[in-house]
Amino acid sequence: MNVLNIGMKLVKILLMIGGLLFIVLHARRFWVETSQSDQPAPTQFKMEKIKRGSMENTISCTGTLSAVGTVEVGTQVSGTIKKVLVDYNDRVTKGQILAELDLDLFKAAVDMARASVIRTRALYKQAVAEYERNTPLYEQGHLSSQEILSYETARETAKADLLSAEAAVISAKTNLSNARIKSPINGVILERNIEEGQTVAASLSTPTLFIIANNLSNMEIEASVDESDIGMVKTDQPVRFTVQSYPDDTFTGTVTQIQMNPTEISNVVTYTVVVDAPNKAGKLLPGMTATADFVVETATNELMVPNAALSFKPDDQDTMDEPGIYILDGRTPRRIPVLTGMTSRTATVIKNSDLAVGTPVIIGRNIEKKEHSQGILSKIFPMSSVGGPPHGAPPGGGGGPAR
């Protein structure tokens, strides 16, 4: 009796274990089928969508900022600087006195020139009187032609001396005026190279005493462009540039001049390009180093595809001469010829009107991934026993009926 009870208990336990295993196996099969139905079918190609956007191509170089209309002020006379009336950054007007030489010698030269005029004018009057007094005597035959010629020569010589003395007065007055160094333009003092007591000498290479900028609200950049890029630079081309003093600010300008004279340094040939740079805010200063980008071409609100899409070729197709992209027709790549526009390092503009934003294009192939390691439940209950027949068994179950 006890053996029978024990046997019944064992049967119940085995039935409970079998029922539990049946529930677990069917729950796992349902979960696998559900998760597989939610995932998209894998593809062997990498895809990316056509986008609409803007791009531009630029040429980068560096240059130096300078003021427009800079004038170097020197001296036309030699002497000792007595006064310096302006300093750096002072605003000056045309005709304003910037510095003054010692005027004593120049005033004395004017007085000497005037005294010479008085003396030569008196001699001229005397020569004229002598000539007029002897002319009647010559006409009456009391004087020879040789004698009257000497009086005439003395008169003309005195006249020439008077004109020379008067010119000397003008020259002395001009030197006196030039001893006061004046500003030739309205502007700002950028540089001052003299001090009081310094001696300056006028010569063929007149020393620069002051540098005056006409207007700091307009600056210019002298940029050095490499010979390989100069062919893409044109007059009136837009330019963006930055300076180290304001790294977060971007300034704009326009190409105004391309100088044809090349510069060669260490076998590198460059050309100087002048860029007009408005400076209304006054942030730009002469001598700053500018990093400039010349805008060569732009595209706005255009269809663009990755460059990888244009270079992709299926294994079973030859290289085509005309550009094209591939899309998936079902699971088969289909080629579409395209008309390309400007290109950058990453993307190219396409002109096809039959393509739309968001269309997936092939940019390459996916690398085959290794199967993930199976979980412990899969090792205990492989899919062959859950989702279908074991290996080697025909589908649909070819075994005999359960006994």
Side-chain angles (χ1 to χ4, degrees), residues 53-76:
S54 303
M55 71 168 63
E56 64 179 20
N57 287 334
T58 60
I59 298 171
S60 298
C61 62
T62 58
T64 303
L65 281 160
S66 60
V68 177
T70 300
V71 177
E72 296 181 356
V73 180
T75 177
Q76 293 179 287

Side-chain angles (χ1 to χ4, degrees), residues 102-120:
D102 190 349
L103 303 179
D104 293 339
L105 293 178
F106 298 99
K107 291 179 180 179
V110 172
D111 293 338
M112 291 176 61
R114 288 173 176 170
S116 178
V117 169
I118 295 173
R119 180 177 59 82
T120 53

Side-chain angles (χ1 to χ4, degrees), residues 386-401:
V386 178
H391 294 290

Side-chain angles (χ1 to χ4, degrees), residues 28 371-384:
R28 179 177 182 275
E371 294 183 357
H372 294 290
S373 58
Q374 294 179 336
I376 186 170
L377 190 60
S378 298
K379 294 179 180 179
I380 298 175
F381 306 112
M383 286 297 298
S384 59

